[in-house]
Amino acid sequence: MRDETHDPARQSWVPGAAGHPDFPLQNLPFGVLSTGDRPRVGVAIGDHVLDLAALEAAGLVRPDPERTVFDAPALNPFMALGPAAWQATREALSRLLGGEDARLRDDPVLTGRALIPAERAMLQLPFKVAEYTDFYASREHATNVGTMFRGPDNALPANWLHIPIGYNGRASTVVVSGGGIVRPMGQLKAPGDQAPRFGASERLDFELEVGAVVGTATAMGTRLSTAQADRAIFGYVLLNDWSARDIQVWEYVPLGPFQSKAFATSISPWVVTAAALEPFRTEAPGRLAPLLPYLHEDTPNNLDLELAVDLAPADGEPATIARTNASGLYYSSAQQLAHHTACGCAMSVGDLLGSGTVSGRAPGSYGSLLELAWNGAHPVRLSDGTSRTFLADGDTVTLRGWCARDGAARIGFGACRGTILPAHA
Amino acid sequence: MRDETHDPARQSWVPGAAGHPDFPLQNLPFGVLSTGDRPRVGVAIGDHVLDLAALEAAGLVRPDPERTVFDAPALNPFMALGPAAWQATREALSRLLGGEDARLRDDPVLTGRALIPAERAMLQLPFKVAEYTDFYASREHATNVGTMFRGPDNALPANWLHIPIGYNGRASTVVVSGGGIVRPMGQLKAPGDQAPRFGASERLDFELEVGAVVGTATAMGTRLSTAQADRAIFGYVLLNDWSARDIQVWEYVPLGPFQSKAFATSISPWVVTAAALEPFRTEAPGRLAPLLPYLHEDTPNNLDLELAVDLAPADGEPATIARTNASGLYYSSAQQLAHHTACGCAMSVGDLLGSGTVSGRAPGSYGSLLELAWNGAHPVRLSDGTSRTFLADGDTVTLRGWCARDGAARIGFGACRGTILPAHA
């Protein structure tokens, strides 16, 4: 599906868009903005946000002839139109912002109204999260956590090389980047304690993940192939699956994580479309055991996506504490979604699938503090000279992601940020 | 909150309502019906369904002065009005159907339009399920399943006497009683197998549960006390948490059940209100370990609710294969909801909380075939002379529930039914 929308030689006439590290003409990620009034859909272009509700009202884009889809507080109505509408809209926006279609560029009244400086656009949760499922696709992460929670002999569960393991998370607490994250209360029980106590988590952590956004619903009873699943994914966000490790280790046997994850999940405000990421497809790692046929892939469905975690103490500068790449994930989002439907589970427009924490092999490539500080054994040094085994109040965690390859324009995800606030005791 | 709506001496003028085993004047459960046209809200009264959209249009009930809430395909708009509106509506309906307010009884045109014979009312999913959480509140069930899955030494997890253990389920496949349940496909691996295979579940089971329906939303960061949680529950349904045991046992370590439960969950069409169940509050079982203060209860929040499971083979008569009572659950729905919010998890109108499988102490009081047939060791005999260790295609499972006590009118839940259909291979 590579087409002229990926051509790195093309540039936008929007000031500052050419060579923008995140949002050049080839990206065109979708989000929801407001400027103090009603929320509506926009795309990022350089340091501006293009108001698609204004373009739709002017007739320059019209994905649904029957009704408006961009004058809406969420991407769901647009996503529900399906892949053909997504691609037609991408091509139309690429021509409008590239200048081949001059109707926007040559209309100063419309550009004045529709092209909003990014600092004036308040970005909101980009879509209504129907349900949230979190997977566990990094073999390195699963091995690291398994070693700490269950010992090295039981680190990787017996099913892990066969099943894209996942569990249902909580959709009602998925929030957009930028807000405060209140330290959760919960049941805590240290190994030597006789009984649990109720208190503020002392082992608060982040998890660096990539979230896939399902754009196509399926009926109950429908199984998707990996190819169908790949086409059903509208796009991707950065996702921070905030985790209270002390609550988690006490609660998770036998039915899995619950309150340790339910207090908050942050996502980046821009949904980078699967279409924009076409040039960055890459092969999954080699298989250590044969996969069942329903998980076979006909195309490379992994993403060559660079990831970084910055951690800043209150009043301190951020330090990059982890660097990794999503290409090493053992299961792609397409495989996860295909597995999700294997039993006939119905999927909805706006379902969010977390990849699982992205960890690499080297210690500096781990996607959680639990792993980076190895369960407290190796504290992580920050810019102000302090160190962390888990997050402190006032800490700001910023996830960043970008795709960069020779012969392609760099595609950025922007930032997914959250600041830890004290618990409500 | 006992008031004249519970008075067992009062009777409805609706023919057949007096002494009805499920739906006398004291019950008034809410559901959604259609008669081939648009879905709308109704209450069951005897063998009739009262169309509340018709009553609202006629001005006899008007929970929201600003807009209609009963001319809607789900109970959510009505539930969102809150407990005062629920109670006022219950009292108004009780007077209209009891005859103290004669405006309905004495208006033959309106009764002809609004009072629909039950056989003409097609009952639909009564509310839009926001999210579905399944708990694990029966000590007997947890012990039985733990014994079979992990051996007698690890049967009851260490946290079980302290935490109302729960996990997030899948809302998109919650369906109303009466439909077919397609046997799911999934990864299966018998203990002796070298590798899993993909096939139709051979160990399909039901789980007898009670579902609590959350009627009041909470903001992220809000913790509910058990008393606040109790007031936030609009009502209860019967719930069948269909389970594929062979998929479950292979997938559930370490993150909990996923595809083994996601193919279908059935609920009864009538939401029996918490108000109607006031006379049937009962104390929880004695505590085997002290509970943390946030789980303490000021009122008896368990329900004295009789439960039964009927199993009928294709073309055969139903046999009652289990009888139990929800009163023995170790954690009430109020405790489960309070725990759900302990970390600050936001709750939504329409959240559904499954109690967990209701099992008693005696073998005939177990709420799943896994337990009734003790993992295949003791097949359950059916009416046609065949026996079951797990469900066969064509089997119909019917859950029934009712509350009966001296000095109170009997309150029934009706039936929650599903018939197993062959897998889509």
Side-chain angles (χ1 to χ4, degrees):
Chain A
M1 216 164 71
R2 292 190 67 159
D3 49 42
E4 93 268 5
T5 66
H6 302 115
D7 181 353
R10 292 178 60 244
Q11 294 193 347
S12 176
W13 50 264
V14 174
H20 192 278
D22 281 337
F23 306 130
L25 179 61
Q26 291 77 11
N27 192 346
L28 303 179
F30 287 80
V32 169
L33 74 142
S34 93
T35 45
D37 47 357
R38 74 194 193 293
R40 53 208 189 270
V41 174
V43 297
I45 180 72
D47 296 317
H48 287 79
V49 178
L50 182 64
D51 177 345
L52 294 190
L55 260 63
E56 193 177 38
L60 269 60
V61 288
R62 194 76 192 180
D64 186 341
E66 303 296 320
R67 64 198 180 105
T68 61
V69 293
F70 291 135
D71 198 352
L75 285 170
N76 304 55
F78 172 58
M79 292 196 290
L81 298 179
W86 309 342
Q87 182 62 17
T89 300
R90 175 174 168 83
E91 290 173 5
L93 291 173
S94 182
R95 287 193 302 271
L96 285 166
L97 289 167
E100 294 88 348
D101 179 342
R103 288 179 295 163
L104 175 62
R105 185 192 61 198
D106 295 349
D107 183 339
V109 175
L110 185 57
T111 55
R113 194 165 63 231
L115 212 53
I116 299 165
E119 63 272 16
R120 281 192 45 225
M122 289 174 287
L123 300 178
Q124 314 204 351
L125 193 68
F127 57 99
K128 177 166 170 46
V129 181
E131 295 190 67
Y132 165 45
T133 307
D134 196 28
F135 286 87
Y136 198 49
S138 159
R139 186 164 68 91
E140 292 74 15
H141 171 73
T143 303
N144 289 340
V145 173
T147 300
M148 286 181 260
F149 276 34
R150 289 178 295 276
D153 293 342
N154 299 301
L156 201 64
N159 52 24
W160 198 92
L161 293 176
H162 302 279
I163 303 181
I165 291 287
Y167 66 100
N168 301 295
R170 183 75 191 177
S172 66
T173 46
V174 176
V175 296
V176 72
S177 167
I181 302 297
V182 176
R183 180 181 298 273
M185 306 286 287
Q187 286 202 22
L188 314 173
K189 183 177 172 296
D193 294 350
Q194 282 294 307
R197 63 191 173 85
F198 190 76
S201 171
E202 295 167 355
R203 309 189 88 197
L204 185 55
D205 202 357
F206 62 83
E207 287 192 343
L208 167 65
E209 302 197 19
V210 181
V213 184
V214 175
T216 302
T218 64
M220 201 169 158
T222 300
R223 287 198 302 275
L224 295 179
S225 68
T226 58
Q228 292 169 321
D230 189 59
R231 287 193 292 274
I233 295 171
F234 174 73
Y236 296 86
V237 291
L238 302 175
L239 184 153
N240 186 338
D241 183 37
W242 304 99
S243 299
R245 301 300 181 190
D246 36 10
I247 299 174
Q248 184 178 356
V249 74
W250 170 232
E251 76 171 358
Y252 89 105
V253 172
L255 299 182
F258 184 48
Q259 293 295 285
S260 55
K261 304 275 196 169
F263 58 98
T265 302
S266 298
I267 63 173
S268 52
W270 293 112
V271 182
V272 177
T273 62
L277 295 170
E278 279 292 327
F280 305 98
R281 287 180 178 266
T282 190
E283 295 284 348
R287 299 297 153 190
L288 303 178
L291 287 180
L292 285 165
Y294 80 100
L295 295 172
H296 288 182
E297 298 186 294
D298 299 326
T299 53
N301 292 339
N302 274 36
L303 290 175
D304 182 5
L305 166 58
E306 296 283 336
L307 296 163
V309 182
D310 296 343
L311 179 50
D315 307 319
E317 293 299 309
T320 298
I321 61 170
R323 275 290 307 271
T324 188
N325 191 302
S327 63
L329 291 174
Y330 198 80
Y331 296 107
S332 67
S333 297
Q335 286 173 315
Q336 292 171 334
L337 178 53
H339 178 67
H340 209 317
T341 67
C343 71
C345 180
M347 303 305 299
S348 306
V349 173
D351 280 338
L352 174 63
L353 312 186
S355 62
T357 305
V358 184
S359 290
R361 280 196 202 141
S365 67
Y366 297 161
S368 69
L369 260 181
L370 178 72
E371 295 165 271
L372 290 165
W374 203 256
N375 210 12
H378 306 297
V380 172
R381 183 73 61 162
L382 302 193
S383 63
D384 63 353
T386 63
S387 60
R388 295 284 182 278
T389 51
F390 291 99
L391 295 171
D393 290 349
D395 283 354
T396 295
V397 178
T398 303
L399 313 183
R400 294 179 289 120
W402 64 94
C403 295
R405 272 186 171 182
D406 286 345
R410 179 183 151 123
I411 300 290
F413 278 68
C416 178
R417 186 174 285 121
T419 299
I420 306 302
L421 303 180
H424 297 163
Chain B
M1 219 164 70
R2 292 191 69 160
D3 50 41
E4 92 270 4
T5 66
H6 302 115
D7 182 353
R10 292 178 61 244
Q11 292 193 349
S12 174
W13 51 265
V14 174
H20 193 277
D22 282 337
F23 307 129
L25 179 61
Q26 293 76 11
N27 192 346
L28 304 178
F30 287 79
V32 169
L33 72 142
S34 94
T35 45
D37 46 358
R38 74 197 194 290
R40 54 207 187 270
V41 173
V43 296
I45 179 72
D47 296 318
H48 286 79
V49 178
L50 182 63
D51 178 345
L52 295 189
L55 260 63
E56 193 177 39
L60 268 59
V61 289
R62 194 75 190 182
D64 187 340
E66 302 297 320
R67 64 198 180 107
T68 61
V69 293
F70 291 135
D71 198 352
L75 286 170
N76 304 57
F78 172 58
M79 292 196 290
L81 298 179
W86 309 341
Q87 182 62 18
T89 301
R90 174 174 169 83
E91 290 172 4
L93 292 173
S94 183
R95 287 193 301 273
L96 285 166
L97 289 167
E100 294 87 348
D101 179 342
R103 289 179 295 163
L104 176 61
R105 185 193 60 198
D106 294 349
D107 183 339
V109 174
L110 185 57
T111 54
R113 194 165 62 231
L115 211 52
I116 300 165
E119 63 271 17
R120 279 190 47 222
M122 289 175 287
L123 300 178
Q124 313 204 351
L125 194 68
F127 58 99
K128 176 166 171 49
V129 181
E131 296 190 67
Y132 165 45
T133 307
D134 196 28
F135 287 89
Y136 198 50
S138 160
R139 186 163 67 92
E140 292 74 15
H141 171 71
T143 304
N144 289 341
V145 173
T147 301
M148 287 181 259
F149 277 34
R150 291 177 295 276
D153 295 342
N154 299 302
L156 201 64
N159 52 23
W160 198 92
L161 293 176
H162 303 279
I163 304 180
I165 292 287
Y167 66 100
N168 302 295
R170 182 76 191 175
S172 66
T173 47
V174 175
V175 296
V176 72
S177 167
I181 302 297
V182 176
R183 179 181 298 273
M185 306 286 288
Q187 286 202 22
L188 313 173
K189 183 177 171 297
D193 294 350
Q194 283 293 309
R197 63 192 174 84
F198 189 76
S201 171
E202 294 166 357
R203 309 189 87 196
L204 184 55
D205 202 355
F206 62 84
E207 287 191 344
L208 166 65
E209 302 196 20
V210 181
V213 184
V214 176
T216 302
T218 64
M220 201 168 157
T222 300
R223 286 199 302 276
L224 295 180
S225 68
T226 58
Q228 292 170 321
D230 188 58
R231 287 194 292 274
I233 296 170
F234 174 73
Y236 296 87
V237 291
L238 302 175
L239 185 151
N240 187 338
D241 182 39
W242 304 98
S243 299
R245 302 299 181 191
D246 37 10
I247 299 173
Q248 184 179 356
V249 74
W250 170 233
E251 77 172 357
Y252 89 105
V253 173
L255 299 182
F258 183 49
Q259 292 295 284
S260 56
K261 304 275 195 170
F263 58 98
T265 303
S266 297
I267 63 173
S268 53
W270 293 111
V271 182
V272 177
T273 63
L277 296 170
E278 278 292 327
F280 305 97
R281 288 180 178 269
T282 191
E283 295 285 347
R287 299 296 152 190
L288 303 178
L291 287 180
L292 285 165
Y294 80 100
L295 294 173
H296 288 181
E297 297 186 292
D298 300 325
T299 53
N301 293 339
N302 274 36
L303 291 174
D304 182 5
L305 167 58
E306 296 283 336
L307 296 163
V309 183
D310 297 344
L311 178 51
D315 307 318
E317 292 298 308
T320 298
I321 62 169
R323 275 291 306 273
T324 189
N325 192 303
S327 63
L329 293 174
Y330 198 80
Y331 296 107
S332 68
S333 296
Q335 287 173 315
Q336 292 171 334
L337 178 53
H339 178 68
H340 210 317
T341 67
C343 70
C345 180
M347 305 304 299
S348 307
V349 173
D351 279 339
L352 174 63
L353 312 186
S355 62
T357 306
V358 184
S359 290
R361 280 194 202 142
S365 67
Y366 298 160
S368 68
L369 260 180
L370 178 72
E371 295 165 270
L372 289 165
W374 204 257
N375 209 12
H378 306 297
V380 172
R381 183 74 61 162
L382 302 192
S383 63
D384 63 352
T386 63
S387 60
R388 294 286 182 277
T389 51
F390 291 98
L391 295 171
D393 290 350
D395 283 355
T396 295
V397 178
T398 304
L399 312 182
R400 293 179 291 121
W402 63 95
C403 295
R405 272 187 171 182
D406 286 344
R410 178 183 151 122
I411 301 290
F413 278 68
C416 178
R417 187 174 284 121
T419 299
I420 306 303
L421 303 181
H424 296 163

